Amino acid sequence: QVQLVESGGGLVQAGGSLRLSCAASGSIFRINAMGWHRQAPGKQRELVADITRGGVTNYADSVKGRFTISRDNAKNTVYLQMNSLKPEDTAVYKCYAESVRTGRGDPIVRNWGQGTQVTVSS
């Protein structure tokens, strides 16, 4: 089993910054892609950003230029630096990791964290 633990959420004023962290542990041979999704009340879940093992990144248009995703492969951890936060960024942010358990032909499995609340006040 793989566990993902997020930290770093909270309440911040518009224009402020937060840094989210997500550490994966458990039966992991290798983690491929990692990323962050978010879901606001009454809205569908959306991809915020993702990053390949090699560091190739992808962002939602709504966060480009404000958010930066990064990872530390040695620590199995992904980060999301969020700057210039807006009230519309308010949501529960969940990280995910796509990993293989043994590296001997087993399937890639996506696991999710429990979510962390980010609230941006105007």
Side-chain angles (χ1 to χ4, degrees):
Q1 291 187 341
V2 175
Q3 297 81 40
L4 282 80
V5 178
E6 298 135 335
S7 61
L11 172 64
V12 65
Q13 288 189 330
S17 298
L18 284 174
R19 188 188 193 215
L20 306 182
S21 300
C22 172
S25 62
S27 300
I28 299 171
F29 172 75
R30 183 185 67 247
I31 297 179
N32 296 334
M34 304 184 81
W36 295 88
H37 284 221
R38 68 185 180 186
Q39 186 165 19
K43 294 187 177 181
Q44 288 189 332
R45 186 178 70 188
E46 63 173 350
L47 172 70
V48 178
D50 56 31
I51 183 168
T52 67
R53 183 171 182 82
V56 177
T57 59
N58 174 55
Y59 296 93
D61 288 342
S62 59
V63 307
K64 282 181 181 177
R66 300 188 297 121
F67 291 11
T68 302
I69 189 170
S70 61
R71 64 188 285 173
D72 185 332
N73 290 333
K75 295 181 179 179
N76 288 336
T77 299
V78 63
Y79 306 95
L80 186 68
Q81 177 66 44
M82 305 185 293
N83 298 329
S84 302
L85 282 160
K86 305 175 180 180
E88 51 264 44
D89 294 319
T90 296
V92 174
Y93 285 69
K94 286 190 174 183
C95 68
Y96 72 86
E98 296 179 347
S99 63
V100 292
R101 187 173 63 87
T102 68
R104 294 191 294 268
D106 52 308
I108 298 172
V109 176
R110 177 178 286 196
N111 289 281
W112 293 89
Q114 77 285 359
T116 185
Q117 177 69 46
V118 171
T119 303
V120 184
S121 63
S122 56

